[in-house]
Amino acid sequence: MNRAAPPAHFFSADLLPWTDRAGRLSWLKLITLIFCLAPIALMTYKGMAGMWSAKPLTALIRETGDWAVRFIALSLLITPLRYASRWNRLILIRRMLGLTALAYTLIHVILYVIDREFALLTILFDLVLRLYLTLGLIATLILIALGITSNSYWIGRLGAAKWNKLHLWTYPAALLSLLHVFLVIRLNGFEASLISGLLVLFAGFRYLRQSPDPAAPLKLLALAILAGLLTAMIEVIFYQLATGVDPMRVLRANLDFSYEIRPSWWVFLLGVTLTAIALIERAWTARTKSRTA
Ligand code: HEM
């Protein structure tokens, strides 16, 4: 391949966030785009309605950080969902979700710099000396590299296999982001535990992809159970380290549905939903085949 000349599709229509690769309007992409922009609308509304706390900048740093992590998780959900449903068009929105995660991360970092009043030297020291910031910085750099290479030009230049390998770095980026978050949050580890559990589920699916039929319903069900259990363990470890609370109390909370359904159950539920989607898809395909035979 000629590396000097970018392929003709460098500026292809699929760069537009609402068209498919043929340049036609894609409702799936358009709805996803609206969903990706919704947090900005929500934050603006909160600001205008005076719903921010006494420290609006800190609140915004937290909110943009939260959305960055959520969008990383959503981008990682696409592959298991695509395999389970065999709805290949889902691939159209994976890049958009990943780039949205990057956008919220960059806004998060810019707000942090503004909050520190552009004291660049202090910021530099903080980034090196404070572990949670160092982890956040490394995650950000990985996300930037992934963002830069998220286009047809880089897929063409690297080739699909190398490009896919490079984009596995989304997992370390997600892991580092979560460590950054766990070190920042003090008491409520609900969302961080939930997203860590989802990461376990998606990484587990990545592992299953080495096997012949990764979306086999029984495999997905086993993965759902395992990911649910590991999520409970992550929550136990977080509360033990952060507050010293008795691990048995945290574990028991997983069986008490009167107050709140714990992250482990939500992770399990998503795994079961993927299993159900795979089962329905297979039953549907079998029915269509037997009808046409
Ligand atoms: C150079 C990179 C980064 C810097 C300087 C940075 C800075 C910060 C700071 C100062 C806070 C604490 C805010 C507070 O409670 O006072 C924070 C929290 C947070 N950051 Fe970052 N961050 C970076 C990268 C990231 C990345 C890559 C992600 C995720 C993709 C992320 C997600 C979060 C989240 C979710 C929180 C906690 C929000 C909450 O308390 O609900 N950060 N970050």
Side-chain angles (χ1 to χ4, degrees):
M1 196 190 130
N2 180 6
R3 288 188 164 228
H9 54 263
F10 184 54
F11 294 109
S12 62
D14 72 311
L15 280 178
L16 289 175
W18 53 84
T19 53
D20 62 17
R21 280 172 190 148
R24 285 184 305 250
L25 173 73
S26 158
W27 285 103
L28 177 64
K29 282 185 83 175
L30 187 63
I31 291 167
T32 310
L33 177 67
I34 294 169
F35 177 71
C36 291
L37 294 175
I40 294 189
L42 191 72
M43 284 183 248
T44 312
Y45 168 75
K46 275 187 180 176
M48 283 165 60
M51 287 161 77
W52 292 121
S53 58
K55 287 182 166 179
L57 212 47
T58 307
L60 268 175
I61 292 174
R62 288 181 185 160
E63 194 111 344
T64 46
D66 286 342
W67 282 108
V69 177
R70 287 171 195 153
F71 275 101
I72 294 183
L74 279 173
S75 73
L76 290 173
L77 166 67
I78 296 303
T79 300
L81 193 57
R82 185 165 67 94
Y83 271 76
S85 64
R86 295 194 195 163
W87 189 28
N88 283 327
R89 286 184 73 76
L90 280 173
I91 198 77
L92 283 175
I93 59 170
R94 194 175 59 179
R95 177 169 73 186
M96 201 191 294
L97 293 169
L99 289 177
T100 304
L102 173 62
Y104 284 111
T105 304
L106 294 178
I107 299 173
H108 176 72
V109 177
I110 291 168
L111 289 172
Y112 163 78
V113 175
I114 296 174
D115 190 44
R116 296 296 183 275
E117 296 172 340
F118 299 92
L120 294 182
L121 209 60
T122 321
I123 291 173
L124 207 68
F125 273 116
D126 276 355
L127 287 175
V128 176
L129 296 177
R130 293 190 173 195
L131 180 62
Y132 85 97
L133 290 178
T134 314
L135 296 171
L137 174 66
I138 302 171
T140 306
L141 294 176
I142 298 174
L143 289 174
I144 291 174
L146 296 176
I148 290 173
T149 53
S150 281
N151 52 54
S152 321
Y153 169 68
W154 278 99
I155 298 174
R157 192 175 165 151
L158 293 172
K162 260 194 190 166
W163 187 88
N164 278 326
K165 222 172 172 182
L166 175 72
H167 279 250
L168 278 181
W169 277 88
T170 313
Y171 285 93
L175 183 66
L176 291 168
S177 304
L178 283 165
L179 289 174
H180 164 79
V181 178
F182 273 120
L183 290 173
V184 162
I185 50 174
R186 279 147 203 105
L187 288 177
N188 192 350
F190 187 98
E191 186 165 342
S193 302
L194 172 67
I195 296 190
S196 303
L198 294 179
L199 196 65
V200 170
L201 185 74
F202 304 150
F205 185 77
R206 180 55 65 177
Y207 178 74
L208 283 183
R209 274 180 70 185
Q210 295 167 8
S211 65
D213 183 7
L218 264 180
K219 286 185 188 172
L220 289 178
L221 187 62
L223 183 60
I225 296 170
L226 187 69
L229 290 172
L230 286 173
T231 310
M233 293 316 297
I234 292 169
E235 218 191 359
V236 165
I237 293 169
F238 166 72
Y239 282 111
Q240 174 65 34
L241 293 176
T243 62
V245 72
D246 177 12
M248 287 316 289
R249 241 183 89 191
V250 183
L251 279 180
R252 269 201 302 273
N254 279 276
L255 300 173
D256 177 7
F257 300 103
S258 58
Y259 171 58
E260 199 172 35
I261 299 174
R262 302 307 308 163
S264 57
W265 287 105
W266 292 113
V267 171
F268 172 67
L269 198 70
L270 181 67
V272 169
T273 307
L274 288 173
T275 311
I277 292 173
L279 269 172
I280 294 167
E281 193 284 327
R282 275 153 205 250
W284 183 262
T285 308
R287 211 185 99 164
T288 324
K289 265 190 192 158
S290 71
R291 275 195 176 175
T292 46

